[in-house]
Amino acid sequence: MLEYTPDRRPTGGLRLPAHKEASTAQPIARGFVPRTLVLALQQHQGPPTTPVVRRGERVLRGQVVARARALRSAAVHASTSGHVRAIEDRLVPSVHAVHRTRCIVIDADGEDEPLPPGAGSAWPEDPEKQLKSIRDGGIVGLGGGVFPTAEKLGPQTPCKVLIINGVECEPYISCDDMLMREAAAEIVDGALIMRELLAAPECIVAVERDKPQAIEALLEAGRASGDASLRLADIPTIYPTGGERQLVEMLTGEEVPSTHYPSEIGYICQNVGTAFAVHRLVRAGEPLLSRVVTVAGDGIARPQNVETPIGTPIGELIEFCGGYRGDVDRLILGGSMMGYALPNDEMPITKGSNCLIAAARTEVRQDFSERFCIRCGNCGTACPARLLPQELLRAARDNDHALLDEFGLTDCIECGCCDVICPSHIPLTEVFRNAKFAHARYQRQEVFSAETQQRFRRHEERERADVQRGKDLQDQIRHEVETDEPARQQAIEAAIERARQRRSQDTDSE
Amino acid sequence: MLIGTVVLAGLALGLCAVLVLTDRLLPAGRDRVAEQVESLLPRIQCAQCGYPGCRPYAEAIAAGEADINRCPPGGEDTVRRLAEFLGREVVALDTTLGSASMNRVARIDEHNCIGCNRCVPVCPVDAVVGVQQTIHAVIAAHCTGCEICLAHCPVDCIDLIPRDA
Ligand code: SF4
Ligand code: SF4
Ligand code: SF4
Ligand code: SF4
């Protein structure tokens, strides 16, 4: 496997303190079995799955509990054995916020009994069936986007390059790093399986330069595989180069239009965790049952990476890591930049949960009071999406939707760079996140208003036409009456004449 | 002196011509303004502004005959946008005119509808469907929540519900 350094610099971005030392100091902890599972029916971007178990039923590890009916969906499996306690609505973390969704709650029995060997179907030959097998295996993008993997590997657009994303640029998160160190051969194998499915001529594994052990392990595994299409790109350690769009641009020089997915211009990105999951599915017939989660922050007793069964309540995971320590300010799901605070620790780990931070008070940026924008331009320099955050800010606060469009609000990836760099402590990213909701509503309303106007026009036209038709009818009758008048007169006279004759005949015959 | 008079007279004449011309052109200009004003209104045709629809209200605004705070469904947002566009003062919304809101839609109570068909022709966007003697229904995706049909129902069986319920 060839190692190379892309000669492009990333656009914008920041160098941030990594905070990854504690969680990478020991290997991934394995063998954790939770007492409860909360399996959300919708853990992916797409329509929810349909439950196929009933209350009270015993399920085994690896058993399907909810099936993917739609194409853009992915099945859900029991990640340990136990009994189904309930199927009910619960709050579950999703990509950008907590949402309420239907969940299968399972009381684990601690036996962790797997399905009998051979119960899973073997990896099929036919590519169509292979995709279905990935969907039934519940595999989604594990980098956090949770896009169904089968959908991304489908034959829509010819793929130029398959990019395996090992650029874990956000502070605190180290699950991908640890997985690359410990399971490089499996990741490379998963990557090659996906490359074959996509018929991609090239496959690039991208890793940040600050992960030498991971790079070493991957190079070793790449050499062992003997595949010539594989390359390893080492990427400068700048946040947020691991973002899909940023990475594609960095590696290929092509800017992904904001209206398109990278896949639509021929670049498919898959996270290293996803590659690992594909390997497990194909080589061992094991669906997606667990993922590596980084548990970090000064508020945690033993920060580490844990192979966590999907559906584990966050509280149990924290307990496994020795519980809370000291003064915990907040619980954050995801990294310190793009993550969000959780209201409690009862929610489950889902397929998309990569990192859990129990932040101590000292770690959290204290809320400085906001000052005026001094137009220093720092935010524009830091923005990886080439936006002008200070202009966006003004437009957002003025609720000026036309201007928001002009300055490209929808291109903002909410990375938080502008926020961190702003000397006036303006919460730019938060403003943009909220503005996006308002903006989407505004756009929907504009479309509705325009349609309504059209409907009203047609209604008016029809009414006018109705009135016109009424008038026309009246005119016609009047016209007929007028033109027929002489003939009518004649007819009447003729009738009178006939009557008179009849009468005179009558009198004659008498 | 003479030159001064001539120059002034010329100026007066020229300006007169400008005035006459602008007067000729003004209605067209006003039409354009009305069109833009209309595009700033919600265009749901509820008539709560006191005009028979958004366009007539827009025309009245463009002609300077109407206040800009008369559109209940548009709310403060619309007042602000109008004020900005027309260079007028922002004024508080006149809340006495009505309560139509785009966040609500009409729903016909199927148990009470007598199929009189009175609500169908009055709906400005043809969102009510049904023929005489049958139960009528509102197409929620087309309904603007203008409230017009409510007053025409003899058995009072049309309600407003939140749009996304
Ligand atoms: S970084 Fe802050 S102060 Fe500087 S231009 Fe941007 S918003 Fe204004
Ligand atoms: S949060 Fe948005 S505007 Fe700010 S730097 Fe990131 S992409 Fe640019
Ligand atoms: S009140 Fe109703 S009819 Fe009048 S402008 Fe507003 S939406 Fe249009
Ligand atoms: S006006 Fe009322 S009763 Fe008559 S058709 Fe409409 S909803 Fe039914």
Side-chain angles (χ1 to χ4, degrees):
Chain A
M1 179 146 86
L2 195 73
E3 184 184 1
Y4 79 109
T5 308
D7 49 10
R8 276 172 222 93
R9 304 279 313 151
T11 311
L14 297 171
R15 275 176 202 286
L16 298 169
H19 296 293
K20 305 192 190 200
E21 308 75 28
S23 62
T24 54
Q26 60 283 310
I28 300 172
R30 298 180 192 271
F32 166 46
V33 179
R35 296 184 299 273
T36 331
L37 290 179
V38 180
L39 295 163
L41 296 184
Q42 190 181 25
Q43 307 192 26
H44 53 269
Q45 283 191 42
T49 50
T50 319
V52 290
V53 289
R54 251 169 308 164
R55 244 182 79 191
E57 193 174 328
R58 177 148 198 264
V59 292
L60 301 177
R61 172 158 55 90
Q63 184 178 335
V64 178
V65 294
R67 241 176 241 299
R69 294 251 191 264
L71 273 181
R72 249 187 73 186
S73 188
V76 179
H77 303 76
S79 45
T80 186
S81 61
H83 289 88
V84 177
R85 187 205 302 165
I87 299 177
E88 60 189 23
D89 282 354
R90 291 227 182 174
L91 282 178
V92 169
S94 72
V95 182
H96 295 298
V98 171
H99 73 153
R100 185 170 288 281
T101 181
R102 198 129 271 241
C103 295
I104 300 174
V105 185
I106 295 172
D107 287 318
D109 52 19
E111 287 165 33
D112 202 23
E113 186 186 336
L115 281 180
S121 52
W123 184 242
E125 290 286 324
D126 177 37
E128 193 77 14
K129 293 211 181 93
Q130 289 179 343
L131 288 178
K132 183 172 181 317
S133 172
I134 289 177
R135 186 156 47 238
D136 293 342
I139 299 179
V140 300
L142 296 182
V146 290
F147 200 84
T149 302
E151 178 79 4
K152 233 174 161 180
L153 296 178
Q156 320 88 354
T157 337
C159 172
K160 290 188 265 186
V161 185
L162 168 65
I163 297 169
I164 302 297
N165 190 345
V167 186
E168 200 173 31
C169 54
E170 214 177 330
Y172 289 94
I173 313 178
S174 63
C175 54
D176 288 350
D177 184 8
M178 293 310 291
L179 193 68
M180 288 188 282
R181 292 188 204 184
E182 295 183 17
E186 288 83 347
I187 291 171
V188 166
D189 183 52
L192 291 176
I193 294 169
M194 288 195 276
R195 187 186 68 82
E196 196 141 318
L197 244 172
L198 287 165
E202 217 186 316
C203 176
I204 301 177
V205 185
V207 188
E208 267 177 318
R209 217 162 285 156
D210 68 343
K211 302 180 176 61
Q213 292 110 309
I215 292 180
E216 200 45 55
L218 283 167
L219 282 175
E220 182 67 47
R223 267 194 293 276
S225 79
D227 193 295
S229 68
L230 269 174
R231 281 194 297 163
L232 187 141
D234 67 50
I235 302 288
T237 312
I238 290 177
Y239 174 82
T241 320
E244 217 172 63
R245 288 162 195 279
Q246 278 63 38
L247 187 59
V248 167
E249 193 181 325
M250 166 93 209
L251 289 175
T252 69
E254 273 186 63
E255 197 181 336
V256 185
S258 57
T259 46
H260 286 65
Y261 287 119
S263 62
E264 290 172 292
I265 59 169
Y267 300 108
I268 305 278
C269 295
Q270 294 288 0
N271 171 266
V272 290
T274 315
F276 179 78
V278 168
H279 159 86
R280 292 294 301 163
L281 179 77
V282 175
R283 305 292 180 216
E286 187 190 279
L288 181 67
L289 300 181
S290 65
R291 64 157 301 140
V292 183
V293 180
T294 306
V295 185
D298 286 349
I300 216 84
R302 288 197 306 271
Q304 59 188 311
N305 280 285
V306 184
E307 187 188 10
T308 313
I310 308 290
T312 301
I314 284 167
E316 286 192 36
L317 177 59
I318 285 176
E319 207 177 292
F320 180 77
C321 296
Y324 296 107
R325 180 181 66 180
D327 206 0
V328 179
D329 187 86
R330 64 188 73 167
L331 253 188
I332 297 165
L333 189 72
S336 58
M337 297 294 282
M338 307 255 265
Y340 58 91
L342 292 176
N344 60 48
D345 62 8
E346 285 149 25
M347 276 173 256
I349 292 294
T350 66
K351 293 176 182 176
S353 318
N354 49 7
C355 179
L356 192 63
I357 306 173
R361 204 167 296 280
T362 47
E363 283 176 294
V364 180
R365 189 170 64 143
Q366 292 309 321
D367 292 326
F368 298 104
S369 57
E370 179 188 330
R371 281 177 271 144
F372 286 116
C373 169
I374 53 170
R375 306 196 78 81
C376 64
N378 283 357
C379 50
T381 316
C383 177
R386 299 199 179 84
L387 303 176
L388 296 170
Q390 79 269 36
E391 299 298 334
L392 274 175
L393 175 75
R394 205 159 47 93
R397 295 217 159 140
D398 286 354
N399 254 320
D400 190 332
H401 294 284
L403 215 58
L404 281 173
D405 263 337
E406 196 173 311
F407 284 116
L409 175 69
T410 43
D411 287 359
C412 168
I413 58 167
E414 296 169 36
C415 66
C417 287
C418 51
D419 219 280
V420 168
I421 205 78
C422 176
S424 292
H425 307 303
I426 302 173
L428 292 150
T429 313
E430 193 188 314
V431 172
F432 300 155
R433 197 174 295 162
N434 294 335
K436 275 188 186 175
F437 285 111
H439 193 61
R441 206 181 48 225
Y442 163 82
Q443 280 175 328
R444 274 199 307 276
Q445 225 158 59
E446 272 307 289
V447 170
F448 181 73
S449 288
E451 285 172 1
T452 297
Q453 197 174 3
Q454 286 303 317
R455 268 187 212 109
F456 180 59
R457 293 252 157 88
R458 284 200 291 273
H459 177 91
E460 271 188 320
E461 258 163 42
R462 211 184 46 233
E463 249 177 11
R464 256 200 305 276
D466 276 355
V467 171
Q468 192 58 44
R469 210 174 309 130
K471 277 205 195 110
D472 287 352
L473 205 62
Q474 273 178 2
D475 284 354
Q476 196 187 331
I477 292 169
R478 196 173 306 127
H479 179 75
E480 273 169 15
V481 168
E482 277 165 11
T483 45
D484 287 358
E485 195 57 26
R488 226 160 48 118
Q489 281 301 333
Q490 263 177 14
I492 293 171
E493 272 160 27
I496 294 172
E497 186 54 31
R498 274 200 306 278
R500 191 180 296 136
Q501 278 177 6
R502 231 187 348 257
R503 220 177 297 132
S504 64
Q505 272 173 15
D506 285 354
T507 37
D508 284 355
S509 64
E510 264 177 19
Chain B
M1 173 69 193
L2 187 71
I3 294 174
T5 317
V6 169
V7 166
L8 277 179
L11 216 60
L13 264 175
L15 287 174
C16 264
V18 168
L19 267 180
V20 169
L21 274 177
T22 41
D23 194 43
R24 288 253 174 89
L25 294 174
L26 208 58
R30 207 180 271 165
D31 235 36
R32 267 202 304 281
V33 173
E35 197 162 295
Q36 273 165 325
V37 168
E38 188 187 10
S39 77
L40 294 175
L41 294 170
R43 286 161 280 163
I44 72 169
Q45 323 294 348
C46 66
Q48 296 197 342
C49 49
Y51 294 82
C54 305
R55 181 70 194 209
Y57 179 41
E59 278 162 11
I61 290 179
E65 290 158 6
D67 273 337
I68 57 173
N69 64 346
R70 300 184 60 89
C71 173
E76 308 283 356
D77 266 359
T78 296
V79 179
R80 220 192 38 247
R81 267 186 246 148
L82 286 173
E84 196 168 304
F85 175 68
L86 298 160
R88 293 205 208 163
E89 286 286 302
V90 176
V91 277
L93 183 72
D94 187 342
T95 48
T96 60
L97 290 167
S99 59
S101 153
M102 288 161 92
N103 298 329
R104 286 181 301 186
V105 290
R107 186 178 57 184
I108 293 173
D109 176 1
E110 295 163 10
H111 300 293
N112 290 320
C113 172
I114 54 169
C116 69
N117 199 250
R118 286 188 203 178
C119 50
V120 171
V122 298
C123 175
V125 293
D126 303 325
V128 193
V129 288
V131 286
Q132 294 268 0
Q133 313 287 326
T134 65
I135 295 169
H136 286 49
V138 175
I139 306 169
H142 292 185
C143 174
T144 62
C146 74
E147 304 180 354
I148 291 177
C149 55
L150 270 64
H152 288 83
C153 177
V155 294
D156 214 2
C157 74
I158 312 179
D159 284 323
L160 289 166
I161 58 167
R163 183 172 285 279
D164 296 318

